[in-house]
Amino acid sequence: ALADPADAALDPDKDGLTNAEEFKKGGDPNFSEPDPTLRMSGLLAEYWRTPSNLQTLPGYESLMPSHVSVSPVVDHPTVPWIAEGNMPGDGFAARYTGYIRIPRDGDYVFYLTSDDGSALFIDGVAVVSDPEPHSVRNSSGTATLCAGWHSVEIRYYENTVSESLKLEWSSADIQRAIVPTEALCHLKSDETPRGFVSGITASFYTLPSSLASLPDFSALAPVDTRIVPSVDEPETSDPWRYAPVD
């Protein structure tokens, strides 16, 4: 019981949250899961513009995404690639990351249909790999997984003509079907693109109070540099909200 200090400090599902922490957050102490208070529905989807002659999956870690969105399921083009825009076409790559909920221990078959190359990783292990360029086709792989949330990553690229990407699963209890939204999540903190932080860099300088025009900032050294959430300072004689105190 959680009233027992020894039990409250345990982490039987080994997800980094003690029984007491999971109880407070509304989670299940016996089910491995990301922090319930940070969990968001769907997978984080990142997109890049790439050459239209790729022969294998690109090195995503060296690229900055052109667009970041959230995909409720991976079923394209049935579901629009990007809800907020129309970037996909020829010459782009995508990566979907987050977690997949496995309802019970067992063997699961994952099916990845794509045009062109794609790969599926669960807990960092390649389950499906079909990286070379090709027209639409299906590849599959089997993973033995315990009940709980597992990290998932899908890598994909499209060269020319049509584009398609679909993630399905099956098991002893699940007929082959698209992995549903309720089995996919990501963390809110992951929505800031990799390599970026939220906000804008602001540099502050000490200057004379008699300036008649903008100074040459390239010749000045800032007294303070920080990340501020927005550029929204009202007219006031008081210090700005995000400026240094002194």
Coordinates of all heavy atoms in Angstrom, one line a residue, residues 28-98:
D28 N -0.2 4.3 -13.3 CA -0.3 3.0 -12.8 C 1.1 2.5 -12.3 O 2.0 2.3 -13.2 CB -0.8 2.0 -13.9 CG -1.1 0.6 -13.4 OD1 -0.6 0.2 -12.4 OD2 -1.8 -0.1 -14.1
P29 N 1.2 2.3 -11.0 CA 2.6 1.9 -10.5 C 3.1 0.6 -11.1 O 4.3 0.3 -11.0 CB 2.3 1.8 -9.0 CG 1.2 2.7 -8.7 CD 0.3 2.5 -9.9
N30 N 2.2 -0.2 -11.6 CA 2.6 -1.6 -12.1 C 2.7 -1.6 -13.7 O 2.8 -2.7 -14.3 CB 1.6 -2.6 -11.6 CG 1.7 -2.8 -10.1 OD1 2.7 -3.0 -9.5 ND2 0.5 -2.6 -9.5
F31 N 2.6 -0.4 -14.3 CA 2.6 -0.3 -15.8 C 3.6 0.7 -16.2 O 3.5 1.9 -15.9 CB 1.2 0.1 -16.2 CG 1.0 -0.2 -17.7 CD1 0.6 -1.5 -18.1 CD2 1.1 0.8 -18.6 CE1 0.3 -1.7 -19.4 CE2 0.8 0.5 -20.0 CZ 0.5 -0.7 -20.4
S32 N 4.7 0.3 -16.9 CA 5.8 1.2 -17.3 C 5.2 2.2 -18.3 O 4.6 1.9 -19.3 CB 6.9 0.4 -18.0 OG 7.9 1.3 -18.4
E33 N 5.4 3.5 -17.9 CA 4.8 4.6 -18.7 C 5.6 5.9 -18.6 O 6.2 6.1 -17.6 CB 3.4 4.8 -18.3 CG 3.2 5.2 -16.9 CD 1.7 5.2 -16.4 OE1 0.9 5.5 -17.3 OE2 1.4 5.0 -15.3
P34 N 5.5 6.8 -19.6 CA 6.1 8.1 -19.4 C 5.2 8.9 -18.4 O 4.1 8.5 -18.1 CB 5.9 8.7 -20.8 CG 5.6 7.6 -21.8 CD 5.0 6.5 -20.9
D35 N 5.8 9.9 -17.9 CA 5.1 10.8 -16.9 C 3.7 11.1 -17.4 O 3.6 11.8 -18.4 CB 6.0 12.0 -16.7 CG 5.4 12.9 -15.5 OD1 4.2 12.8 -15.2 OD2 6.3 13.6 -14.9
P36 N 2.7 10.7 -16.7 CA 1.3 11.0 -17.2 C 1.0 12.4 -17.3 O 0.1 12.8 -18.1 CB 0.4 10.3 -16.1 CG 1.3 9.3 -15.5 CD 2.7 9.8 -15.5
T37 N 1.6 13.3 -16.5 CA 1.3 14.7 -16.5 C 2.0 15.4 -17.7 O 1.6 16.6 -18.0 CB 1.8 15.4 -15.2 OG1 3.2 15.3 -15.1 CG2 1.2 14.8 -14.0
L38 N 2.9 14.7 -18.4 CA 3.6 15.3 -19.6 C 3.1 14.7 -20.9 O 3.5 15.1 -22.0 CB 5.1 15.2 -19.4 CG 5.7 15.8 -18.2 CD1 7.2 15.5 -18.2 CD2 5.5 17.3 -18.2
R39 N 2.4 13.6 -20.8 CA 2.0 12.8 -21.9 C 1.0 13.5 -22.9 O 0.0 14.1 -22.4 CB 1.4 11.5 -21.5 CG 1.8 10.3 -22.4 CD 1.6 9.0 -21.6 NE 0.3 8.8 -21.0 CZ 0.1 8.1 -19.9 NH1 1.1 7.6 -19.2 NH2 -1.1 8.0 -19.4
M40 N 1.3 13.5 -24.2 CA 0.4 14.1 -25.2 C 0.1 13.0 -26.2 O 0.9 12.2 -26.6 CB 1.1 15.3 -25.8 CG 1.6 16.3 -24.9 SD 0.3 17.2 -24.0 CE -0.4 18.2 -25.3
S41 N -1.1 13.1 -26.7 CA -1.6 12.1 -27.7 C -0.8 12.2 -29.0 O -0.5 13.3 -29.5 CB -3.1 12.3 -27.9 OG -3.6 11.4 -28.9
G42 N -0.6 11.1 -29.7 CA 0.0 11.0 -31.0 C 1.5 11.1 -30.9 O 2.1 11.2 -29.9
L43 N 2.2 11.0 -32.1 CA 3.6 11.0 -32.2 C 4.1 12.4 -32.7 O 3.4 13.0 -33.5 CB 4.1 9.9 -33.2 CG 3.8 8.5 -32.8 CD1 4.4 7.5 -33.9 CD2 4.5 8.1 -31.4
L44 N 5.3 12.7 -32.2 CA 5.9 14.0 -32.7 C 6.4 13.7 -34.1 O 7.1 12.7 -34.3 CB 7.1 14.4 -31.8 CG 7.7 15.7 -32.1 CD1 6.8 16.8 -31.7 CD2 9.0 15.8 -31.3
A45 N 6.1 14.5 -35.0 CA 6.5 14.4 -36.4 C 7.4 15.5 -36.9 O 7.0 16.7 -36.8 CB 5.3 14.3 -37.3
E46 N 8.6 15.2 -37.3 CA 9.5 16.2 -37.8 C 9.8 16.0 -39.3 O 9.8 14.9 -39.8 CB 10.9 16.1 -37.1 CG 10.8 16.3 -35.6 CD 12.0 15.8 -34.8 OE1 12.2 14.6 -34.7 OE2 12.8 16.7 -34.4
Y47 N 9.9 17.1 -40.0 CA 10.0 17.0 -41.5 C 11.2 17.8 -41.9 O 11.5 18.9 -41.4 CB 8.8 17.6 -42.2 CG 7.5 16.8 -41.9 CD1 6.7 17.1 -40.8 CD2 7.1 15.7 -42.7 CE1 5.6 16.4 -40.5 CE2 6.0 15.0 -42.4 CZ 5.2 15.3 -41.3 OH 4.1 14.6 -41.0
W48 N 11.9 17.3 -43.0 CA 13.0 18.0 -43.6 C 12.9 18.0 -45.1 O 12.4 17.0 -45.7 CB 14.4 17.3 -43.2 CG 14.7 17.3 -41.8 CD1 15.6 18.1 -41.1 CD2 14.3 16.3 -40.8 NE1 15.7 17.8 -39.8 CE2 14.9 16.7 -39.6 CE3 13.4 15.2 -40.8 CZ2 14.8 16.0 -38.4 CZ3 13.2 14.5 -39.6 CH2 13.9 14.9 -38.4
R49 N 13.4 19.0 -45.7 CA 13.6 19.0 -47.2 C 14.9 18.3 -47.5 O 15.9 18.6 -46.8 CB 13.7 20.4 -47.7 CG 12.3 21.0 -47.9 CD 11.5 20.3 -49.0 NE 10.2 20.8 -49.2 CZ 9.2 20.2 -49.8 NH1 9.4 18.9 -50.1 NH2 8.0 20.7 -49.9
T50 N 14.9 17.4 -48.4 CA 16.1 16.6 -48.7 C 16.2 16.4 -50.2 O 15.3 16.7 -51.0 CB 16.0 15.2 -48.1 OG1 14.8 14.5 -48.5 CG2 16.1 15.2 -46.6
P51 N 17.4 16.1 -50.7 CA 17.6 15.8 -52.2 C 16.6 14.7 -52.6 O 16.3 13.8 -51.8 CB 19.0 15.4 -52.3 CG 19.7 15.9 -51.1 CD 18.7 15.9 -50.0
S52 N 16.2 14.7 -53.8 CA 15.2 13.7 -54.3 C 15.9 12.5 -55.0 O 15.3 11.8 -55.8 CB 14.3 14.4 -55.3 OG 15.0 14.9 -56.4
N53 N 17.2 12.3 -54.6 CA 17.9 11.1 -55.1 C 18.6 10.3 -54.0 O 19.6 9.7 -54.2 CB 18.9 11.5 -56.1 CG 20.0 12.5 -55.5 OD1 19.8 13.0 -54.4 ND2 21.0 12.8 -56.3
L54 N 18.0 10.4 -52.8 CA 18.5 9.6 -51.7 C 18.5 8.1 -52.0 O 17.6 7.6 -52.6 CB 17.8 9.9 -50.4 CG 17.9 11.3 -49.8 CD1 17.0 11.4 -48.5 CD2 19.3 11.6 -49.4
Q55 N 19.5 7.4 -51.5 CA 19.6 6.0 -51.7 C 19.4 5.2 -50.4 O 19.4 4.0 -50.4 CB 21.0 5.6 -52.3 CG 21.2 6.2 -53.7 CD 20.1 5.7 -54.7 OE1 19.9 4.6 -54.9 NE2 19.4 6.7 -55.2
T56 N 19.3 5.9 -49.3 CA 19.1 5.3 -48.0 C 18.6 6.4 -47.0 O 18.5 7.6 -47.4 CB 20.4 4.7 -47.4 OG1 20.0 3.9 -46.2 CG2 21.4 5.7 -47.0
L57 N 18.2 6.0 -45.8 CA 17.7 7.0 -44.9 C 18.8 8.0 -44.5 O 20.0 7.7 -44.3 CB 17.3 6.3 -43.6 CG 16.0 5.4 -43.8 CD1 15.9 4.4 -42.7 CD2 14.8 6.3 -43.8
P58 N 18.5 9.3 -44.4 CA 19.5 10.3 -44.1 C 19.9 10.3 -42.6 O 19.3 9.7 -41.8 CB 18.8 11.6 -44.5 CG 17.3 11.3 -44.2 CD 17.1 9.9 -44.6
G59 N 21.0 11.1 -42.3 CA 21.4 11.2 -41.0 C 20.6 12.3 -40.3 O 21.0 13.5 -40.3
Y60 N 19.5 12.0 -39.6 CA 18.6 13.0 -39.1 C 19.3 13.8 -38.0 O 19.0 15.0 -37.9 CB 17.4 12.3 -38.5 CG 16.5 11.6 -39.5 CD1 16.8 10.2 -39.8 CD2 15.5 12.2 -40.1 CE1 16.0 9.6 -40.8 CE2 14.7 11.6 -41.0 CZ 14.9 10.3 -41.4 OH 14.2 9.6 -42.3
E61 N 20.2 13.3 -37.2 CA 20.8 14.1 -36.1 C 21.6 15.3 -36.6 O 21.8 16.2 -35.9 CB 21.7 13.2 -35.3 CG 20.9 12.0 -34.6 CD 19.8 12.6 -33.7 OE1 20.0 13.7 -33.2 OE2 18.8 11.8 -33.5
S62 N 22.0 15.2 -37.9 CA 22.8 16.4 -38.5 C 21.9 17.4 -39.2 O 22.4 18.4 -39.7 CB 23.8 15.8 -39.5 OG 23.2 15.2 -40.6
L63 N 20.6 17.2 -39.1 CA 19.7 18.1 -39.9 C 18.8 18.8 -38.9 O 18.5 18.4 -37.8 CB 18.8 17.2 -40.8 CG 19.4 16.4 -41.8 CD1 18.4 15.5 -42.5 CD2 20.2 17.2 -42.8
M64 N 18.4 20.0 -39.3 CA 17.4 20.8 -38.5 C 16.1 20.7 -39.2 O 16.0 20.9 -40.4 CB 17.8 22.3 -38.5 CG 19.0 22.5 -37.6 SD 18.7 22.2 -35.9 CE 20.3 22.7 -35.1
P65 N 15.0 20.4 -38.5 CA 13.7 20.2 -39.2 C 13.2 21.5 -39.8 O 13.3 22.6 -39.2 CB 12.8 19.7 -38.0 CG 13.5 20.1 -36.8 CD 14.9 20.1 -37.1
S66 N 12.5 21.3 -40.9 CA 11.8 22.4 -41.5 C 10.4 22.6 -40.9 O 9.8 23.7 -41.0 CB 11.7 22.2 -43.0 OG 12.9 22.0 -43.6
H67 N 9.9 21.6 -40.4 CA 8.5 21.7 -39.8 C 8.4 20.6 -38.7 O 8.9 19.5 -38.8 CB 7.5 21.5 -40.9 CG 6.1 21.8 -40.4 ND1 5.5 23.0 -40.6 CD2 5.1 21.0 -39.8 CE1 4.2 23.0 -40.1 NE2 4.0 21.8 -39.6
V68 N 7.6 21.0 -37.7 CA 7.3 20.0 -36.6 C 5.8 20.0 -36.4 O 5.2 21.1 -36.3 CB 8.0 20.4 -35.3 CG1 7.7 19.4 -34.1 CG2 9.6 20.4 -35.5
S69 N 5.3 18.8 -36.3 CA 3.8 18.7 -36.1 C 3.6 17.5 -35.2 O 4.5 16.9 -34.6 CB 3.2 18.5 -37.5 OG 1.8 18.4 -37.3
V70 N 2.3 17.2 -35.0 CA 1.9 16.0 -34.2 C 1.0 15.1 -35.1 O 0.1 15.7 -35.7 CB 1.2 16.4 -32.9 CG1 0.7 15.1 -32.2 CG2 2.1 17.1 -31.9
S71 N 1.3 13.9 -35.2 CA 0.5 13.0 -36.0 C -0.2 12.0 -35.1 O 0.3 11.3 -34.3 CB 1.5 12.2 -36.9 OG 0.7 11.4 -37.8
P72 N -1.6 12.0 -35.2 CA -2.4 11.1 -34.3 C -2.2 9.7 -34.6 O -2.2 8.8 -33.7 CB -3.8 11.6 -34.6 CG -3.8 12.2 -36.0 CD -2.4 12.9 -36.1
V73 N -1.9 9.3 -35.9 CA -1.6 8.0 -36.3 C -0.6 8.1 -37.5 O -0.4 9.2 -38.0 CB -2.8 7.2 -36.8 CG1 -3.8 6.9 -35.6 CG2 -3.5 7.9 -37.9
V74 N 0.0 7.0 -37.8 CA 0.9 7.0 -39.0 C 0.2 6.2 -40.1 O 0.2 5.0 -40.2 CB 2.3 6.3 -38.7 CG1 3.2 6.4 -39.9 CG2 2.9 7.0 -37.5
D75 N -0.6 6.9 -40.9 CA -1.4 6.4 -41.9 C -1.5 7.4 -43.1 O -2.5 8.0 -43.3 CB -2.8 6.0 -41.4 CG -3.7 5.3 -42.5 OD1 -3.1 4.9 -43.5 OD2 -4.9 5.2 -42.2
H76 N -0.4 7.5 -43.8 CA -0.3 8.5 -44.9 C -0.3 7.9 -46.2 O 0.3 6.8 -46.4 CB 0.9 9.4 -44.7 CG 1.1 10.0 -43.4 ND1 0.1 10.8 -42.8 CD2 2.1 9.9 -42.5 CE1 0.6 11.1 -41.6 NE2 1.8 10.7 -41.4
P77 N -1.0 8.4 -47.2 CA -1.6 9.7 -47.2 C -3.1 9.8 -46.8 O -3.8 10.8 -47.0 CB -1.5 10.2 -48.7 CG -1.6 8.9 -49.4 CD -1.0 7.8 -48.6
T78 N -3.6 8.6 -46.2 CA -5.0 8.7 -45.7 C -5.2 9.8 -44.8 O -6.2 10.6 -44.8 CB -5.4 7.3 -45.1 OG1 -5.2 6.3 -46.0 CG2 -6.8 7.3 -44.6
V79 N -4.3 10.0 -43.8 CA -4.3 11.1 -42.9 C -3.3 12.1 -43.5 O -2.2 11.8 -43.9 CB -3.8 10.7 -41.5 CG1 -3.7 11.9 -40.6 CG2 -4.8 9.7 -40.9
P80 N -3.6 13.4 -43.6 CA -2.7 14.4 -44.2 C -1.4 14.4 -43.4 O -1.3 14.2 -42.2 CB -3.4 15.8 -43.9 CG -4.9 15.4 -43.9 CD -4.9 14.0 -43.2
W81 N -0.3 14.5 -44.2 CA 1.1 14.5 -43.6 C 1.2 15.6 -42.6 O 1.7 15.3 -41.5 CB 2.1 14.7 -44.7 CG 2.3 13.5 -45.6 CD1 1.6 13.3 -46.8 CD2 3.1 12.4 -45.5 NE1 2.0 12.1 -47.4 CE2 2.9 11.6 -46.6 CE3 4.1 12.1 -44.5 CZ2 3.6 10.4 -46.7 CZ3 4.8 10.9 -44.6 CH2 4.6 10.0 -45.7
I82 N 0.8 16.8 -42.9 CA 1.0 17.9 -42.0 C -0.3 18.7 -41.9 O -0.8 19.2 -42.9 CB 2.1 18.9 -42.4 CG1 3.5 18.2 -42.5 CG2 2.2 20.1 -41.4 CD1 4.6 19.0 -43.0
A83 N -0.9 18.7 -40.7 CA -2.2 19.3 -40.6 C -2.2 20.8 -40.9 O -3.1 21.4 -41.4 CB -2.8 19.1 -39.2
E84 N -1.0 21.5 -40.6 CA -0.9 22.9 -40.7 C -0.4 23.4 -42.0 O -0.2 24.6 -42.3 CB 0.0 23.5 -39.6 CG -0.5 23.2 -38.2 CD -0.1 21.8 -37.7 OE1 0.6 21.1 -38.4 OE2 -0.4 21.5 -36.5
G85 N 0.0 22.5 -42.9 CA 0.7 23.0 -44.1 C 0.7 21.9 -45.2 O 0.0 20.9 -45.1
N86 N 1.4 22.1 -46.3 CA 1.4 21.2 -47.4 C 2.8 20.9 -47.9 O 3.1 20.8 -49.1 CB 0.6 21.8 -48.6 CG 1.1 23.1 -49.0 OD1 2.0 23.7 -48.5 ND2 0.5 23.7 -50.1
M87 N 3.8 20.8 -46.9 CA 5.2 20.7 -47.3 C 5.4 19.4 -48.1 O 6.1 19.4 -49.1 CB 6.0 20.7 -46.1 CG 7.5 20.5 -46.3 SD 8.5 20.4 -44.9 CE 9.8 19.3 -45.4
P88 N 4.9 18.2 -47.6 CA 5.3 17.0 -48.3 C 5.0 17.0 -49.8 O 4.1 17.7 -50.3 CB 4.5 15.9 -47.6 CG 4.4 16.4 -46.2 CD 4.2 17.9 -46.4
G89 N 5.8 16.3 -50.6 CA 5.7 16.2 -52.0 C 6.9 15.4 -52.4 O 7.2 14.3 -51.8
D90 N 7.7 15.9 -53.3 CA 9.0 15.2 -53.6 C 10.1 15.8 -52.8 O 10.1 17.0 -52.5 CB 9.3 15.4 -55.1 CG 8.3 14.7 -56.0 OD1 7.7 13.7 -55.5 OD2 8.2 15.0 -57.2
G91 N 11.0 15.0 -52.5 CA 12.2 15.4 -51.8 C 12.0 15.8 -50.3 O 12.2 17.0 -50.0
F92 N 11.6 14.9 -49.5 CA 11.5 15.3 -48.1 C 11.8 14.0 -47.2 O 11.7 12.9 -47.7 CB 10.2 15.9 -47.7 CG 9.0 14.9 -47.6 CD1 8.6 14.4 -46.4 CD2 8.3 14.6 -48.7 CE1 7.6 13.5 -46.3 CE2 7.2 13.7 -48.7 CZ 6.9 13.1 -47.4
A93 N 12.1 14.2 -46.0 CA 12.3 13.1 -45.0 C 11.4 13.4 -43.8 O 11.1 14.6 -43.5 CB 13.8 13.0 -44.6
A94 N 11.1 12.4 -43.0 CA 10.3 12.6 -41.8 C 10.8 11.6 -40.8 O 11.3 10.6 -41.1 CB 8.8 12.3 -42.1
R95 N 10.5 12.0 -39.5 CA 10.8 11.2 -38.4 C 9.7 11.3 -37.4 O 9.3 12.4 -37.0 CB 12.2 11.5 -37.7 CG 12.5 10.7 -36.5 CD 13.9 10.8 -36.0 NE 14.2 12.2 -35.7 CZ 15.4 12.6 -35.3 NH1 16.4 11.7 -35.2 NH2 15.6 13.9 -34.9
Y96 N 9.2 10.2 -36.9 CA 8.1 10.2 -35.9 C 8.7 9.6 -34.6 O 9.3 8.5 -34.7 CB 6.9 9.3 -36.4 CG 6.3 9.8 -37.7 CD1 6.9 9.6 -38.9 CD2 5.1 10.5 -37.6 CE1 6.4 10.1 -40.1 CE2 4.5 11.0 -38.8 CZ 5.2 10.8 -40.0 OH 4.6 11.3 -41.2
T97 N 8.5 10.2 -33.5 CA 9.1 9.7 -32.2 C 8.0 9.9 -31.1 O 7.1 10.7 -31.2 CB 10.3 10.5 -31.8 OG1 10.1 11.9 -31.8 CG2 11.5 10.2 -32.8
G98 N 8.2 9.0 -30.1 CA 7.3 9.0 -29.0 C 7.3 7.7 -28.3 O 8.3 7.0 -28.2

